[in-house]
Amino acid sequence: HLSPSVAGLLLAKELEYLDGAVNNGEKPMAAIVGGSKVSSKITVLETLLDKCDTVVIGGGMVFTFLKAKGLNVGSSLVEDDFVETAKKVMAKAEASGKTLILPSDIVVADAFAADANTQIVKQDAIPDGWMGLDNGPEATKEIADALSTCKTVIWNGPMGVFEMDAFAKGTFAIVDALEEITSRGACTIIGGGDSVAAVEKSGKADKMSHISTGGGASLELLEGKVLPGVDALAEAKVPA
């Protein structure tokens, strides 16, 4: 064992923002949780629902939630094993007086391809054979409005398949909304690989309060886990 074991400045900053924001962030606080699968985000989603006033759900995981609401999701990505989990999350949000936002309209496509045919439909009107690949304009405006009064926002996961231009608007609109509130003094934290990639692609990385470089470890911190490498650090002795 190397002793003393101490953290560098980058790790200290990660802990200050990711751990500090979740546990002591200024309210109102919102979390934006996106990405394709509920299964990989369920722990962080439940943790953030406990801590935040508002949770925005985006990306492919939306359709497991819409199915849990009894809606038709066409050929959108759904994790059938997590439909009951999604129901529990929605019930927990309602019981605890939290706001859980699912997109009210959706950009759907007839294929998972950059040149697919697309249309914008309401969340309860996804046609058979079509898949949701991004938030629609109404959803984007509702999310921006919800974020506009927040003092702390944690973002983990994109709103759509932003790597394809046809399905990137929802994700880049989040970047714009976060840039706006950061300029007014809000604390905005981008944690998670795809969100970081989206912010960097937008050219606005320097407009956010903190961009996590921790990858999967950021997700574990947001989940409230103690990282083994952090646990092993020596306690600082305060000089007398």
Side-chain angles (χ1 to χ4, degrees):
H1 291 290
L2 295 173
S3 188
S5 302
V6 295
L9 297 176
L10 181 61
L11 178 58
K13 191 176 177 209
E14 288 277 298
L15 291 170
E16 174 196 343
Y17 276 99
L18 292 173
D19 193 39
V22 172
N23 292 310
N24 307 303
E26 193 179 346
K27 301 290 180 100
M29 187 191 303
I32 307 161
V33 183
S36 55
K37 293 186 172 177
V38 178
S39 53
S40 59
K41 295 288 174 83
I42 188 60
T43 311
V44 74
L45 186 57
E46 290 185 323
T47 303
L48 291 172
L49 191 57
D50 284 339
K51 309 280 187 184
C52 297
D53 308 290
T54 300
V55 175
V56 175
I57 294 178
M61 57 194 288
V62 160
F63 305 100
T64 300
F65 278 85
L66 295 185
K67 187 165 184 179
K69 289 176 72 171
L71 301 177
N72 182 40
V73 294
S75 56
S76 305
L77 177 71
V78 168
E79 290 180 284
D80 286 318
D81 293 351
F82 282 84
V83 169
E84 285 306 312
T85 307
K87 285 181 183 172
K88 285 178 186 160
V89 169
M90 291 189 285
K92 180 180 175 182
E94 190 170 349
S96 55
K98 305 295 178 79
T99 303
L100 192 69
I101 298 175
L102 289 160
S104 54
D105 64 344
I106 292 161
V107 179
V108 296
D110 60 358
F112 188 84
D115 59 353
N117 294 307
T118 64
Q119 57 178 316
I120 296 164
V121 298
K122 299 290 186 193
Q123 67 165 224
D124 60 356
I126 299 173
D128 289 340
W130 291 67
M131 65 185 76
L133 296 178
D134 194 16
N135 287 348
E138 274 184 29
T140 296
K141 184 178 184 311
E142 285 162 13
I143 293 166
D145 287 348
L147 298 177
S148 66
T149 54
C150 290
K151 297 292 188 190
T152 308
V153 178
I154 301 152
W155 183 18
N156 184 284
M159 299 293 97
V161 187
F162 73 93
E163 297 86 352
M164 300 181 196
D165 288 345
F167 314 113
K169 286 193 178 84
T171 297
F172 291 130
I174 295 286
V175 178
D176 293 342
L178 294 183
E179 177 190 18
E180 168 65 23
I181 64 169
T182 310
S183 72
R184 299 202 308 265
C187 177
T188 52
I189 299 154
I190 319 302
D194 285 344
S195 315
V196 173
V199 172
E200 286 179 345
K201 189 176 175 184
S202 75
K204 294 183 173 180
D206 61 335
K207 306 294 187 191
M208 308 295 139
S209 305
H210 178 67
I211 293 194
S212 172
T213 54
S218 332
L219 200 58
E220 293 196 10
L221 264 180
L222 291 175
E223 288 170 358
K225 290 179 181 168
V226 175
L227 303 182
V230 174
D231 203 28
L233 297 175
E235 285 285 331
K237 291 186 174 61
V238 180

